[in-house]
Amino acid sequence: MKAKAAEMALKGNVPYYGAIKAGMKRAAAGQQASSGSRKKKRVRLTDISRGTGKAILRDGVAVNRAIKKLYDYEETGLSPHEIFILIERERNLTKRLEKMMDWEE
């Protein structure tokens, strides 16, 4: 009963309380959905052949899927080495940022 009385008091004193409450419900639902979802796992498209040591497509990987991924890489205009450097830079900056955030606490 106390919660209902608080609701009535807020409704009478806070302008647009109904809209605020509806937004809070949506925000809470969005947080629950995102917190339960997992990060997509990267799936490699290739393996190394045991006999020849060459790169081959994994079982179940369609050629069209591999071609699309290769096309996306080529469209970046970067070499594999440059992409590796960018990935390392991102990791280092993330570590540095986490360290700075720890200093604030």
Side-chain angles (χ1 to χ4, degrees), residues 47-96:
D47 270 335
I48 300 296
S49 173
R50 290 184 183 174
T52 62
K54 295 181 181 179
I56 58 170
L57 289 179
R58 282 186 155 187
D59 290 336
V61 174
V63 174
N64 286 338
R65 183 173 164 203
I67 290 171
K68 182 181 179 339
K69 191 165 191 177
L70 176 61
Y71 178 80
D72 290 341
Y73 277 124
E74 289 176 342
E75 281 297 301
T76 63
L78 300 172
S79 69
H81 179 69
E82 292 170 322
I83 291 173
F84 178 74
I85 290 171
L86 286 174
I87 291 169
E88 285 298 311
R89 184 182 299 166
E90 185 270 335
R91 283 185 191 147
N92 291 335
L93 288 173
T94 302
K95 286 179 185 176
R96 191 186 281 174

Side-chain angles (χ1 to χ4, degrees), residues 11-47:
K11 204 181 258 189
N13 294 321
V14 177
Y16 305 106
Y17 179 71
I20 294 170
K21 188 174 177 184
M24 290 179 358
K25 284 182 184 178
R26 285 188 193 145
Q31 287 175 353
Q32 289 174 356
S34 64
S35 65
S37 63
R38 293 185 179 199
K39 192 175 187 180
K40 287 187 177 181
K41 184 179 178 184
R42 288 189 183 182
V43 178
R44 291 192 52 95
L45 302 178
T46 58
D47 270 335

